[in-house]
Amino acid sequence: MSGPVVLRAAAWVEVETGQRHTPAVIVVDGNLITAINPVEVPADAPVIELGELTLLPGLMDMEVNLLIGGPDTPSGLPNPMHGVQDDPVYRTLRAAVNARVTLHAGFTTVRNLGLMVKTGGYLLDVDLHRAIEQGWHEGPRIVAAGHAITPTGGHLDPTMFQRLAPHIMPVTVEEGRANGVPQVRESVRYQIKYGAEVIKISASGGVMSHGTVAGAQQYSDEELAAIVDEAHRAGVRVAAHAHGDAGIRACLRAGVDCIEHGSLAEDDTIALMVEQGTYLVPTSYLSEGLDVSKAAPALQKKAAEVFPRARETLRKAIRAGVKIACGTDAPAVPHGHNAKELWALVDRGMTPAQALRAATMTSAELIGVDDRGRLAPGLLADIIAVAGDPTVDITTLDDVRFVMKDGRVHKKP
């Protein structure tokens, strides 16, 4: 829209304090918020009437995988053969669909912490980010990781998901399979060279991969230190898939910025995360939302062991004061159902206001930006609206009625 536009609604949420204020009159000019409840609104500015809805800042999901899952996998688990059936073009088209669904669910910023996949070295999420930023396609702002980096046989090694025979899907260092200090440095440099804004690594085993023990440390301390050194010298943060306590402790020693999952962290490790200011993206709704009924019996067994412990670990982390950001691991939770993670955060002990901050302000801090995550003059016009009061009932976020990103309306009631 050219010139200012006015949004009118019943209320707006100040996420800093968790307060819901009435009424809501927000002036947007270009891609920025310019005023909230001003004495006068710009003359002749068009008005978008949103009735009894409540306005709040666009939500953020700090762990999605837009390149897998989607319309043909409604249960959440992607096709286990996607690594050998989806070529890069098809994978990118799939990601475009998932990006639009995610935006329409009210999530205006995401980190795409992808898997290691065969793409010929192309960073598909970086290209999707560029297309969205140029206005070619609807989708959230994407902080892209390119290819996740994993050792041979690590959790994010695609052959560990699909149980492929040797040499069926060879991947390169550029595509993320890296062993030893020289290779991990090369792989980090490659991702950053071609546009990655965050580095994703596999530091422990996983739940949904064959042949990996969920709690086992995978990269050595020396390899982890080299990864973090390379990334940090380039001003790029590192996110580590880590369920097990040993892997988490190794990441903390190396200076990793964010732990994904953190399911089996012990009390002293949680305390160390608080001391060091390390972020946690718990992806906790997986324990309810991931349909493992069609998974192999060994994977179902791992899920039954890990998920209850993960819920209790998150409760402890919340009480201890760990910096917790919102992330779903979609499509393990289906794309578009991202708000379920906020329900999980509340179920584990957060107040609705705290869960809202995890999905806005804390997530913005995690990716190092201060231009979003709140409703305030001068910030980006990433604004959503829901019926009811999300500071009381977090499930109102399951039904986002209005989405504006960058001052452009993408969804109306």
Side-chain angles (χ1 to χ4, degrees):
M1 296 182 182
S2 59
V5 61
V6 178
L7 306 182
R8 292 187 184 273
W12 66 283
V13 174
E14 183 182 22
V15 293
E16 306 97 304
T17 63
Q19 293 182 309
R20 180 175 179 265
H21 301 285
T22 58
V25 178
I26 296 182
V27 181
V28 172
D29 197 348
N31 70 336
L32 300 177
I33 298 170
T34 59
I36 298 179
N37 287 349
V39 175
E40 296 182 357
V41 299
D44 301 322
V47 177
I48 299 175
E49 295 285 357
L50 295 171
E52 295 303 310
L53 299 184
T54 297
L55 304 180
L56 59 156
L59 303 174
M60 305 187 198
D61 190 327
M62 294 293 99
E63 181 165 357
V64 300
N65 301 292
L66 295 172
L67 294 159
I68 58 176
D72 59 346
T73 55
S75 68
L77 278 175
N79 173 6
M81 297 302 291
H82 71 88
V84 291
Q85 290 180 341
D86 291 0
D87 65 27
V89 175
Y90 188 81
R91 192 181 295 277
T92 304
L93 292 171
R94 177 192 294 280
V97 173
N98 293 336
R100 183 179 187 275
V101 167
T102 301
L103 176 63
H104 282 225
F107 285 77
T108 55
T109 298
V110 301
R111 282 193 315 175
N112 194 79
L113 301 185
L115 303 175
M116 185 180 71
V117 293
K118 186 69 178 174
T119 67
Y122 293 106
L123 277 61
L124 304 183
D125 55 351
V126 171
D127 290 334
L128 179 62
H129 158 79
R130 290 174 59 199
I132 290 170
E133 289 300 300
Q134 292 173 25
W136 298 353
H137 187 75
E138 284 189 297
R141 306 171 192 277
I142 298 174
V143 179
H147 299 93
I149 299 172
T150 186
T152 297
H155 168 65
L156 298 175
D157 184 331
T159 64
M160 303 307 291
F161 290 99
Q162 297 145 7
R163 306 189 85 167
L164 301 180
H167 312 301
I168 294 297
M169 193 174 73
V171 289
T172 64
V173 170
E174 288 92 348
E175 292 164 318
R177 184 183 288 159
N179 301 290
V181 168
Q183 282 194 350
V184 298
R185 286 190 183 276
E186 180 183 355
S187 193
V188 170
R189 289 171 179 171
Y190 185 90
Q191 308 313 313
I192 294 171
K193 174 183 178 180
Y194 291 106
E197 296 179 300
V198 61
I199 295 297
K200 167 73 177 296
I201 63 172
S202 178
S204 86
V207 177
M208 288 290 115
S209 56
H210 296 279
T212 66
V213 177
Q217 179 179 340
Q218 295 193 327
Y219 269 127
S220 69
D221 285 8
E222 293 77 16
E223 289 167 317
L224 289 172
I227 289 167
V228 174
D229 176 61
E230 283 297 330
H232 284 183
R233 284 192 293 108
V236 173
R237 300 184 181 190
V238 179
H241 162 97
H243 283 286
D245 189 71
I248 298 168
R249 297 284 292 199
C251 288
L252 297 180
R253 288 193 297 271
V256 162
D257 302 283
C258 179
I259 301 297
E260 310 299 307
H261 315 303
S263 306
L264 307 176
E266 301 290 348
D267 292 354
D268 57 346
T269 302
I270 291 172
L272 186 58
M273 291 182 70
V274 175
E275 179 183 335
Q276 294 188 188
T278 308
Y279 290 84
L280 173 66
V281 177
T283 65
S284 193
Y285 185 69
L286 289 179
S287 62
E288 288 95 356
L290 179 59
D291 180 6
V292 299
S293 62
K294 296 181 178 63
L299 303 186
Q300 293 186 41
K301 181 180 178 182
K302 278 202 288 185
E305 293 171 351
V306 172
F307 286 160
R309 293 181 62 185
R311 289 193 291 267
E312 184 55 33
T313 297
L314 178 53
R315 292 186 180 98
K316 291 179 179 179
I318 292 169
R319 291 196 296 267
V322 174
K323 293 192 288 189
I324 295 170
C326 174
T328 58
D329 207 9
V333 172
H335 296 293
H337 294 226
N338 312 64
K340 296 294 187 183
E341 181 65 19
L342 284 90
W343 170 87
L345 294 174
V346 173
D347 181 74
R348 291 13 161 195
M350 283 190 178
T351 66
Q354 289 173 325
L356 285 171
R357 284 193 288 274
T360 53
M361 294 177 64
T362 306
S363 292
E365 293 168 5
L366 172 56
I367 59 175
V369 297
D370 58 8
D371 59 359
R372 71 201 79 162
R374 298 178 293 121
L375 296 180
L379 299 191
L380 291 171
D382 291 0
I383 304 169
I384 66 172
V386 298
D389 184 355
T391 68
V392 174
D393 180 4
I394 201 68
T395 65
T396 61
L397 298 174
D398 290 337
D399 183 17
V400 171
R401 306 286 182 85
F402 172 86
V403 176
M404 170 182 279
K405 191 199 92 176
D406 215 31
R408 176 186 171 190
V409 176
H410 292 269
K411 184 178 183 179
K412 288 184 178 181

